[in-house]
Amino acid sequence: MRRLRFAPVATCYVIVVALLTLAGRLGSPYADLAVFVAVVLTMPAGLLSPLLALVPHHLGWYALPLLAVLNAFVLRGLSRVVPRDPVARGVENRLHSALVSTRLKVTPMMHTGPRRERSLLLRDVPIAYPQLIGVYHDLWRDSGLRVQEVPEPLALRAYDGEGYAFSLRAGPGVFGDAVLTVAPPAGRRWGFVAGLAAGGVPCAIAAVSAAYPALLLTGCGALVVGVACLAVPRTRGFGRGLLLGGGPALAVLLLYGTA
């Protein structure tokens, strides 16, 4: 996937925070909510927001946008430090190994597929497609994969011990092309369920009690920690569950802000 350029994305991000900051200064019924959203958007640099009390009054308009500028560079640095998704890296490594293992001279081209799945369109294959199926069948079987051949339409599927799925099928053209695909293992849901429980139970209790301090603590805590978990591939499921679980407290908190 092509990465977005840093400068235009960071500029739009800072503009959004600046507009929310200005909205918080207009005295509208949504002023407190706008400032709250602006602070949340500056996380993790927004953890320095208590220091805004030290900023001279005439700079108060610019404090949160300045934090947003700092946060843009912090997030850029974190994106380079945080390790890549190990599952996506495993898919790419297996796809490369499957491509070069036959030592056939082909022209690989990227082929679209679902998220985290990688496919190559093999052009200029020097042997007929049924023979290619036979080559990969023997190769994957000798490598210890569980191989399954599909007779109609002729295709090949295989699975390794870690649950990665390999497939080889005929290409969309009529020139003997083939599509080589590697898919990740079926996703585990325990992280999402754990995050949903960790965020949902206290946030639901806070929503029922309608106590503002409890709502602020549980709702904002679930939001900040959930967003932080989304930055690390191994904890993204937990973060999604935490954000969803924090929904009740955040909803009631927003009602407080608009009251």
Side-chain angles (χ1 to χ4, degrees):
M1 179 183 293
R2 187 178 181 181
R3 290 189 176 184
L4 298 176
R5 300 183 65 178
F6 172 74
V9 173
T11 301
C12 293
Y13 164 65
V14 174
I15 291 175
V16 169
V17 174
L19 291 176
L20 288 171
T21 304
L22 291 175
R25 297 275 181 166
L26 296 178
S28 66
Y30 302 97
D32 293 338
L33 178 60
V35 174
F36 168 72
V37 174
V39 172
V40 171
L41 287 178
T42 60
M43 293 295 172
L47 295 174
L48 300 175
S49 57
L51 299 180
L52 296 182
L54 304 178
V55 179
H57 180 70
H58 67 282
L59 289 179
W61 287 79
Y62 309 106
L64 282 177
L66 287 177
L67 276 179
V69 173
L70 173 63
N71 196 53
F73 287 95
V74 169
L75 293 176
R76 186 186 189 187
L78 289 176
S79 67
R80 296 178 176 180
V81 173
V82 173
R84 293 182 57 198
D85 187 346
V87 174
R89 186 171 62 248
V91 169
E92 293 175 359
N93 292 341
R94 284 165 172 79
L95 182 62
H96 178 265
S97 298
L99 175 66
V100 303
S101 57
T102 62
R103 300 186 180 181
L104 294 173
K105 293 184 178 180
V106 298
T107 304
M109 301 174 62
M110 291 303 299
H111 193 67
T112 57
R115 180 177 175 269
R116 299 177 83 181
E117 180 180 290
R118 298 292 183 269
S119 298
L120 290 176
L121 177 63
L122 307 183
R123 306 294 303 271
D124 306 321
V125 181
I127 59 177
Y129 175 70
Q131 293 177 316
L132 183 66
I133 289 289
V135 170
Y136 271 103
H137 185 283
D138 296 340
L139 182 67
W140 286 347
R141 182 194 58 196
D142 295 340
S143 300
L145 276 63
R146 295 182 289 109
V147 183
Q148 176 186 4
E149 187 169 319
V150 180
E152 188 63 35
L154 183 60
L156 197 64
R157 297 174 184 168
Y159 305 88
D160 66 6
E162 298 183 35
Y164 288 84
F166 300 71
S167 69
L168 182 68
R169 67 182 189 275
V174 293
F175 301 105
D177 301 339
V179 177
L180 178 63
T181 302
V182 177
R188 299 185 178 94
R189 297 296 180 182
W190 64 267
F192 176 80
V193 174
L196 187 62
V201 173
C203 288
I205 295 175
V208 172
S209 65
Y212 186 80
L215 288 169
L216 191 63
L217 179 63
T218 58
C220 295
L223 181 61
V224 173
V225 177
V227 171
C229 288
L230 293 180
V232 182
R234 292 184 180 275
T235 59
R236 281 175 184 164
F238 182 84
R240 295 188 189 100
L242 200 60
L243 289 174
L244 183 60
L250 290 174
V252 178
L253 189 63
L254 292 178
L255 292 177
Y256 264 107
T258 56

